[in-house]
Amino acid sequence: MHIPDAYIPLDQAIVYWIIALPFIIISMKWAKNELEEMKVPILAALAAGIFAIQALNIPIGMGTSGHMVGATLVAIVFASPWAGVLVLTLVLLVQGFGFADGGITTLGANILNMGVISGFVGYYTYTTLRRNFSQSLAAFGGAWLGLFVSAIVCAVQMALAGTFPLVPGLKAMGLFHLIIGFIGEGLITSIVIGAIAKSRPDLLEENRASGTERAKEALA
Amino acid sequence: MITLSDIEHEAYKKSPIHRLDARVKLLFALAIIIYAVSLPRIHENNGARLLLLESYLLCLGLLASLDFRYFILRFLAVLPFGFAIACIQPFLKPSFIESFTPYPLSLPFGLSLSYEGLAFGLSLLLKFTVCVTTIILLSSTTRLRDMVIAANRLGIPGEFTLLLSMMVRYLFLFWGMLRRIRVAQETRLFDIWNKKVPRKWILTQVGNSISSIFIRAYEQGEKSYISMLCRGYGNGHEKYYYSSKIGRKDALFLLAGLGYILLVHFLPKASLIFI
């Protein structure tokens, strides 16, 4: 889903940068204000971890493999979509400048798709599902929908850029990411959230919040 | 296969290009990429202009004594997606083209080629090649750490470059961890394509590897924070970077690069067609 340079004309690429930039700035403000200072090294290390995780192939079936994006995963752990935006911005920047994976002019569009849309759609789907379903099912649904919607937006961007017609693009990207999202993003996110809940439940921000509430109740 | 350490190994070489200030290289790379992307989608001079830019970049690559095999491998690693999209352009009818001139070639399955599609596909492929070459050149002659420092000096906010510089530091750690996981899996004959093993089990194993990287990354962050506290880190502390000045050679490199872009752009039409 990394759109390379030149596949979106400069004027449109600038528009995506203008849309993505406020999200990046607000995510920085979030990291500064909402979090304890401790979160700075944690977010940086996590960004490096997500970079390695994105390089790990996941078998999808029929001879194809995919990789995780991870925005929803980070958003669920920190209980905020801004964490997903910030970590993915860092990862995409290093991928773009260091590895020519994705582009420089198209970085705005890529951050918008994989960081903002995937993070926000994924996280809010998770919180909505969490009311009625188990944690692993909610994480699965959130990560899957987050990736699927961002793939659809990516197909629309390519169509607007004139590099790929809309209907076949939607079919190809939609169908491909429906399957990749199911296994690569959905299942793996739910496994990872399950593993964190088992081994380090204190890492999940929602557990911390409920923990403090429980402590307050106990004191009262 | 090119790995993170290969790229950093190239970036540690010594050459006139490696010695240039990272700010200058970053600005030059941005200028080339923005110029290449800004060229019209279809134009008679696109081919010549982009080829001239590419040849300049290759000359710089030679000057930086980059390994040829490494260069080609890196290029091939990012090629597939861009190449595929560019190659299907002659068969598509992009929405921004109003009238098509069919190419006199009959193809099976009702496919047809158009001159406009061919021109667009070719210019897309050339633009992509120029942009990728620029990034390979930049990342093979500039260490990631220096790039972050350059970004800080060019005015990117300190909080952001602090995050980036820490991320770059841990990048190699987790890359090494990923490699160890892969080696450990291979020694136990773990193969994600093995059809004799239940798929669910394979996915659980991959999920476990990813969980372990994620949790270790988080714990690394916690450990680093504690060690930072031991060294007196507190809220509002800024990272200090060593100072450096842009020398005459650096300025000359940037001016030559920008001058070349202008030259390529304003070169008389006749000479471009000749090329």
Side-chain angles (χ1 to χ4, degrees):
Chain A
M1 225 190 326
H2 292 62
I3 307 175
D5 272 319
Y7 286 75
I8 291 183
L10 196 60
D11 45 354
Q12 292 180 22
I14 292 172
V15 172
Y16 297 129
W17 261 114
I18 293 172
I19 303 173
L21 215 51
F23 284 96
I24 302 171
I25 294 169
I26 297 173
S27 74
M28 272 308 301
K29 288 225 168 97
W30 167 82
K32 213 175 155 190
N33 300 335
E34 298 281 319
L35 295 169
E36 318 118 61
E37 58 182 35
M38 179 178 175
K39 291 281 162 46
V40 171
I42 291 178
L43 281 171
L46 265 188
I50 294 287
F51 182 90
I53 286 171
Q54 287 203 359
L56 201 71
N57 279 336
I58 300 162
I60 303 298
M62 292 177 293
T64 55
S65 68
H67 67 80
M68 251 187 111
V69 173
T72 311
L73 173 63
V74 178
I76 293 175
V77 171
F78 284 92
S80 163
W82 297 113
V85 176
L86 187 58
V87 168
L88 261 289
T89 303
L90 293 170
V91 171
L92 288 167
L93 260 172
V94 171
Q95 283 176 339
F97 278 95
F99 298 87
D101 197 3
I104 307 300
T105 54
T106 51
L107 205 57
N110 286 334
I111 292 174
L112 190 67
N113 297 343
M114 280 181 270
V116 178
I117 293 175
S118 181
F120 271 82
V121 173
Y123 179 68
Y124 286 110
T125 310
Y126 169 79
T127 47
T128 315
L129 288 176
R130 189 74 183 92
R131 284 177 210 145
N132 298 319
F133 298 99
S134 68
Q135 190 177 42
S136 63
L137 204 68
F140 170 80
W144 185 22
L145 197 69
L147 191 82
F148 179 65
V149 173
S150 66
I152 295 292
V153 175
C154 178
V156 173
Q157 286 168 344
M158 294 286 271
L160 287 175
T163 30
F164 210 87
L166 187 63
V167 180
L170 280 179
K171 277 186 193 158
M173 283 290 278
L175 198 69
F176 189 57
H177 284 87
L178 208 63
I179 302 166
I180 283 198
F182 189 86
I183 297 170
E185 199 74 20
L187 270 178
I188 301 288
T189 303
S190 105
I191 293 175
V192 177
I193 291 290
I196 297 172
K198 252 190 227 162
S199 58
R200 285 285 309 264
D202 59 309
L203 297 196
L204 292 170
E205 203 67 35
E206 61 176 49
N207 285 350
R208 282 188 200 185
S210 60
T212 6
E213 277 161 26
R214 271 203 303 273
K216 274 181 194 165
E217 277 169 22
L219 282 174
Chain B
M1 167 118 181
I2 295 292
T3 62
L4 193 65
S5 39
D6 292 330
I7 298 176
E8 206 65 358
H9 188 256
E10 285 289 315
Y12 268 84
K13 277 184 174 174
K14 285 196 170 75
S15 82
I17 306 290
H18 284 80
R19 273 193 290 273
L20 289 170
D21 193 284
R23 277 171 286 187
V24 168
K25 282 184 272 186
L26 207 56
L27 287 177
F28 169 70
L30 286 178
I32 289 260
I33 290 175
I34 289 173
Y35 175 70
V37 176
S38 73
L39 286 174
R41 284 155 160 158
I42 298 174
H43 194 274
E44 52 183 348
N45 292 343
N46 267 6
R49 280 181 180 149
L50 290 164
L51 282 176
L52 281 173
L53 286 182
E54 181 69 14
S55 51
Y56 187 71
L57 292 169
L58 290 178
C59 287
L60 289 179
L62 274 179
L63 202 63
S65 64
L66 292 187
D67 187 31
F68 183 69
R69 190 175 156 269
Y70 156 89
F71 196 87
I72 296 292
L73 279 178
R74 274 201 72 183
F75 192 78
L76 289 178
V78 284
L79 195 64
F81 180 69
F83 188 71
I85 299 275
C87 284
I88 53 167
Q89 292 307 323
F91 303 102
L92 300 174
K93 291 192 164 49
S95 49
F96 61 89
I97 300 171
E98 278 160 12
S99 62
F100 290 92
T101 324
Y103 193 84
L105 183 72
S106 58
L107 290 169
F109 311 116
L111 290 172
S112 65
L113 287 169
S114 67
Y115 278 107
E116 289 80 4
L118 269 173
F120 180 53
L122 193 66
S123 111
L124 211 54
L125 192 63
L126 282 173
K127 282 182 185 182
F128 174 71
T129 310
V130 167
C131 294
V132 170
T133 314
T134 312
I135 290 297
I136 296 179
L137 189 70
L138 173 74
S139 57
S140 318
T141 55
T142 322
R143 283 172 271 176
L144 277 172
R145 197 191 55 158
D146 291 339
M147 257 195 254
V148 176
I149 298 174
N152 183 272
R153 292 208 184 110
L154 288 171
I156 304 289
E159 297 113 18
F160 199 71
T161 47
L162 176 70
L163 272 168
L164 264 179
S165 72
M166 280 186 169
M167 178 197 173
V168 164
R169 195 186 308 162
Y170 297 128
L171 216 51
F172 296 89
L173 185 73
F174 292 110
W175 196 259
M177 189 183 289
L178 181 71
R179 209 183 50 207
R180 284 201 302 280
I181 288 176
R182 277 186 178 150
V183 170
Q185 285 177 339
E186 273 171 32
T187 48
R188 282 174 234 150
L189 304 177
F190 180 77
D191 175 16
I192 59 167
W193 302 120
N194 191 346
K195 285 190 177 144
K196 287 174 185 158
V197 181
R199 169 131 313 167
K200 199 182 158 207
W201 182 82
I202 294 184
L203 280 171
T204 317
Q205 298 317 308
V206 175
N208 287 344
S209 308
I210 292 180
S211 310
S212 127
I213 297 181
F214 191 90
I215 293 172
R216 281 196 229 176
Y218 201 106
E219 290 183 343
Q220 178 62 50
E222 289 176 325
K223 270 187 278 180
S224 302
Y225 173 66
I226 292 169
S227 58
M228 280 157 78
L229 278 186
C230 293
R231 281 175 256 140
Y233 171 83
N235 213 350
H237 272 209
E238 277 186 27
K239 195 173 161 61
Y240 182 75
Y241 300 105
Y242 61 87
S243 59
S244 80
K245 273 186 182 166
I246 293 187
R248 199 180 291 163
K249 275 184 192 165
D250 303 319
L252 208 65
F253 171 80
L254 189 60
L255 284 178
L258 297 180
Y260 188 78
I261 296 176
L262 285 177
L263 187 75
V264 164
H265 192 71
F266 292 109
L267 216 61
K269 251 185 192 170
S271 55
L272 279 175
I273 290 165
F274 178 71
I275 291 165

